[in-house]
Amino acid sequence: MENPFVIKSYKSKELFCDREKELEILIRNFENDTDTTIVSLRRMGKTGLIYRLFDEIKIQSLDILPVYVDIYASRTIADFIKLTAEAVLRAFPQESKLGKKFMKFIKSLRPQFSFDALTGEVQLQIGYQGVAEKEHTLKELFEFLDQQNIHILLAYDEFQQIREYPEQNIEALLRTYMQTLKNVHFIFCGSKKHLMTDIFANAKKPFYSSTAFLSINKIAKENYRLFIKKMFDDNDRTITDETVDYILDWTRQHTYYTQSLCHTIFADGAKEVKIDNVKMACLEILQQNEMLYLQYRQMLTNTQWNYLIAVAKEGQVTQITAKAFLAKYDIGTPSTSKRLVNSLCEKELLSDVVTKDGTYYSVYDVFMSRWLEREF
């Protein structure tokens, strides 16, 4: 029996929870020739949303060719070009007229072809004589896509990675090439909101005010409750509202952790899922991940580790300089607290979420937070 709680990418519309409003916004933005910047915490579901959008494009037979490009592993503009070209190769059926035209274009760049030993997918290696040739190749690639008689949607995941490139003018270069395109549209996704905000909302940067922003937040509790119950019901399992609420509270409604816990509960095979079954699954997950969490302890100073424990025990902290919080966990001065927060946020062990009521901090990994809370 297939586990309906997907924890890897995207499988189908039926196994995808909600995000109807976000999906509607993405389609509306495309139809109005507006590029979109998606920002969210890691594992909140932005990549799944992109694939859900691609699925909806097929369902509605929209005149769009969607292309997903993950640039997380890129380190240079050459990597950016390579990953974009490989993604387009995967998206264009090779026997189609468009696929043949693109292959002819790629061959004009004199690449070396190889194949991934595990997936069998095509891999490219393009040689360049210098920086100018890389920039020219990027321009040619975008122009080729724009000249085809079809709308193309390029979705770049982890777009903030361009800030790591050694090329100093990469943002200006990309903006210069992208803003002239008529048939190529863009979605830029990122999990480091400070970098993404600086790229797209800083008036001094090339991409300033060039896209609409879409923030991916937690799925509404009622919607998630109905989805979880349906997944169990459709597979001849039963689960009460009280039990589902326990799941959502324990995972703090964070998409990945909710899916992962439900995945484990379903895999354990109980026909009538009760809170005791959920608690057993929670313990199973924490025990499986304990070695990883202990490795983090080796990477941090005692002060940083103790601060992480303090935040985990609080669940979330809104006043990191409050006397009560500092005294309760023997943190020291307000400046010490600020320094520790900045350091742990930089390491992505703490997350800072800005709301209308202020900023709150919590341990980034919900399971790690629950482990720290339980063990210390």
Side-chain angles (χ1 to χ4, degrees):
M1 184 181 295
E2 182 181 25
N3 195 313
F5 296 101
V6 179
I7 53 176
K8 289 185 178 180
S9 190
Y10 171 86
K11 287 191 177 180
S12 68
K13 175 182 178 180
E14 291 71 28
L15 301 181
F16 187 82
C17 180
D18 196 27
R19 301 297 189 201
E20 294 301 320
K21 181 179 179 181
E22 293 88 342
L23 188 63
E24 182 183 327
I25 290 171
L26 287 172
I27 293 174
R28 185 185 67 205
N29 285 352
F30 173 82
E31 291 175 341
N32 288 276
D33 198 23
T34 301
D35 295 333
T36 307
T37 295
I38 299 177
V39 181
S40 76
L41 294 174
R42 282 187 291 113
R43 296 180 165 184
M44 192 60 80
K46 65 182 185 307
T47 302
L49 174 61
I50 294 301
Y51 280 110
R52 173 69 185 91
L53 171 66
F54 287 7
D55 198 16
E56 191 65 22
I57 286 170
K58 293 178 183 177
I59 292 170
Q60 295 189 26
S61 298
L62 300 177
D63 184 26
I64 314 169
L65 181 64
V67 180
Y68 172 79
V69 191
D70 185 354
I71 65 168
Y72 180 73
S74 67
R75 293 295 178 267
T76 65
I77 188 175
D79 291 341
F80 184 93
I81 297 168
K82 165 185 160 66
L83 292 170
T84 301
E86 288 176 349
V88 173
L89 272 175
R90 290 192 295 270
F92 287 8
Q94 291 191 22
E95 296 304 314
S96 67
K97 183 178 178 181
L98 190 55
K100 290 177 180 178
K101 285 176 67 177
F102 187 66
M103 182 59 74
K104 184 178 179 180
F105 165 76
I106 288 295
K107 287 181 177 179
S108 72
L109 303 176
R110 304 179 304 280
Q112 291 182 345
F113 289 94
S114 61
F115 296 90
D116 187 288
L118 297 177
T119 65
E121 292 179 344
V122 176
Q123 293 182 316
L124 300 175
Q125 190 64 47
I126 303 171
Y128 302 99
Q129 297 299 318
V131 175
E133 190 172 352
K134 294 176 187 178
E135 294 178 359
H136 182 67
T137 300
L138 179 61
K139 185 172 185 290
E140 280 190 321
L141 175 58
F142 282 141
E143 287 179 346
F144 172 87
L145 297 176
D146 198 46
Q147 289 163 5
Q148 309 313 306
N149 190 29
I150 186 173
H151 289 288
I152 296 173
L153 178 60
L154 282 176
Y156 281 102
D157 207 350
E158 301 301 342
F159 189 72
Q160 75 275 341
Q161 188 62 29
I162 65 171
R163 283 285 177 93
E164 301 295 325
Y165 295 175
E167 293 87 2
Q168 298 299 310
N169 65 335
I170 185 63
E171 289 178 50
L173 188 73
L174 287 173
R175 176 63 178 143
T176 298
Y177 294 162
M178 291 175 173
Q179 68 182 349
T180 62
L181 304 175
K182 295 183 175 65
N183 295 316
V184 181
H185 312 268
F186 296 94
I187 294 176
F188 305 101
C189 302
S191 56
K192 293 187 177 181
K193 65 177 183 298
H194 296 98
L195 290 178
M196 292 294 287
T197 301
D198 192 56
I199 291 171
F200 292 98
N202 186 335
K204 297 179 180 179
K205 303 299 180 181
F207 276 99
Y208 172 68
S209 198
S210 63
T211 69
F213 272 86
L214 176 61
S215 181
I216 305 300
N217 299 307
K218 295 177 181 179
I219 294 171
K221 193 169 187 177
E222 180 59 27
N223 293 347
Y224 225 151
R225 183 192 293 117
L226 291 172
F227 173 79
I228 292 170
K229 285 180 65 68
K230 185 177 188 304
M231 292 301 101
F232 278 103
D233 290 344
D234 288 351
N235 288 277
D236 299 320
R237 313 277 185 99
T238 60
I239 187 169
T240 65
D241 285 346
E242 181 186 15
T243 304
V244 175
D245 285 344
Y246 185 92
I247 292 171
L248 292 172
D249 289 341
W250 200 79
T251 61
R252 297 172 184 157
Q253 292 171 243
H254 192 298
T255 307
Y256 170 78
Y257 301 101
T258 301
Q259 291 291 119
S260 187
L261 177 55
C262 289
H263 184 96
T264 301
I265 294 167
F266 190 91
D268 286 343
K271 288 292 184 180
E272 294 184 23
V273 180
K274 299 179 180 178
I275 289 181
D276 283 346
N277 301 105
V278 176
K279 290 180 178 179
M280 287 176 60
C282 293
L283 183 60
E284 180 182 342
I285 288 171
L286 297 187
Q287 289 174 340
Q288 287 174 352
N289 289 301
E290 186 172 59
M291 188 59 67
L292 172 63
Y293 303 147
L294 290 172
Q295 287 298 315
Y296 281 120
R297 185 173 191 172
Q298 301 302 313
M299 297 163 50
L300 301 174
T301 66
N302 286 336
T303 305
Q304 290 172 331
W305 181 251
N306 290 333
Y307 196 89
L308 210 57
I309 293 170
V311 176
K313 286 185 171 294
E314 291 295 304
Q316 66 181 42
V317 180
T318 54
Q319 299 293 330
I320 62 171
T321 59
K323 289 182 179 179
F325 174 67
L326 298 177
K328 182 177 180 180
Y329 297 101
D330 194 23
I331 291 168
T333 65
S335 61
T336 299
S337 184
K338 288 179 180 178
R339 186 177 69 253
L340 288 167
V341 162
N342 290 337
S343 174
L344 292 169
C345 283
E346 179 66 25
K347 297 176 187 297
E348 293 193 332
L349 290 173
L350 287 184
S351 65
D352 57 328
V353 176
V354 180
T355 69
K356 293 179 180 178
D357 299 322
T359 302
Y360 71 84
Y361 299 87
S362 58
V363 177
Y364 212 126
D365 184 323
V366 174
F367 291 161
M368 184 178 182
S369 182
R370 292 301 187 185
W371 181 81
L372 290 168
E373 181 185 354
R374 179 174 183 269
E375 294 295 324
F376 298 95

